[in-house]
Amino acid sequence: MDSHKESHHFPFIALRHQRFPHIFQADPTGIAKLASRASPRSECRRNSSASEPAETHIETASRWLFMSIKWAKSLPYFAELYYPDQLELLRQNWSKLFLFNLMYFEMVPKPDDSEDDVSGALRDVFVRWSEANLRPEIPGKIEHSLEKIRRLHMDETETLLVKSLLLFNPETEGLVDASQVQVTQNKCHRALEEHASSTNPGERDRSGRILLTILTLSTFEERDIEAMFLSAVLGNATVTSLMENILCADTM
């Protein structure tokens, strides 16, 4: 990685199927265009073939996790960060992305013959957790938080910008270049404000309401999310301890 990368814009980046122009601070809406290349809608369509057997809730949860990380890896402005910063951002923010994606995948329209039943998988996880008497209040709190987010009726651009804000957290501990993460977060904030005000002019301070609602995702402990959704996959390991292997996986 170029140690002399400039922080005031994203350099011209060539990707496998697309090429993106410079994104200047004067045009923060370009952030949304970059983020949209990895829309979960296309992932859900690719994974909703009725010819394949229905997934178990364990397989579904594992896919949610890998899709969250795959989305982050596809972002040009994530790829421009130092590798240790990429790793720490995912290690310390994966659970918020996971929960937000869980809500989004649940709401994405699917074909009538799709067996990708996110709502069913979510109910199954909550029932299993409650039956095991493992802090039975947690599923209700998660569902309440997700319902508040659903009521915002975010469009796809707002959704992608929120995901970027959840990921690009300059308060993440151990960052090599927190200033570059801050630059990206600032651009995402401005892009969200501009988009929300232009598409919902009658809704005062919509972007602020979105951000306040999303903050509820930070109240859930990573260990609870792991235990609830991923314990059967992780065994004695944790997502944090395995993140480097996941991030470097060639298959993603």
Side-chain angles (χ1 to χ4, degrees), residues 235-248:
N236 294 325
T238 64
V239 172
T240 298
S241 67
L242 297 175
M243 186 59 73
E244 186 165 12
N245 292 334
I246 299 174
L247 183 58
C248 293

Side-chain angles (χ1 to χ4, degrees), residues 105-150:
F105 295 156
E106 180 185 23
M107 297 179 67
V108 170
K110 303 172 183 66
D112 293 338
D113 59 354
S114 172
E115 294 185 358
D116 195 4
D117 183 8
V118 180
S119 297
L122 185 57
R123 287 193 300 270
D124 186 35
V125 169
F126 286 169
V127 168
R128 288 170 181 265
W129 179 273
S130 298
E131 287 177 347
N133 294 315
L134 299 170
R135 300 179 65 187
E137 74 280 3
I138 299 299
K141 290 181 178 180
I142 291 177
E143 179 56 35
H144 178 69
S145 179
L146 296 183
E147 180 58 28
K148 289 176 66 176
I149 296 173
R150 293 185 193 104

Side-chain angles (χ1 to χ4, degrees), residues 183-199:
V183 166
T184 303
Q185 187 189 71
N186 290 344
K187 291 183 179 183
C188 290
H189 272 136
R190 288 197 299 274
L192 180 61
E193 290 173 356
E194 292 181 6
H195 178 79
S197 62
S198 64
T199 57

Side-chain angles (χ1 to χ4, degrees), residues 2 58 77 130 189:
D2 186 358
I58 296 173
Y77 38 101
S130 298
H189 272 136

Side-chain angles (χ1 to χ4, degrees), residues 44 82 92 111 141 216 218:
C44 285
Y82 293 105
Q92 297 181 46
K141 290 181 178 180
T216 61
S218 300

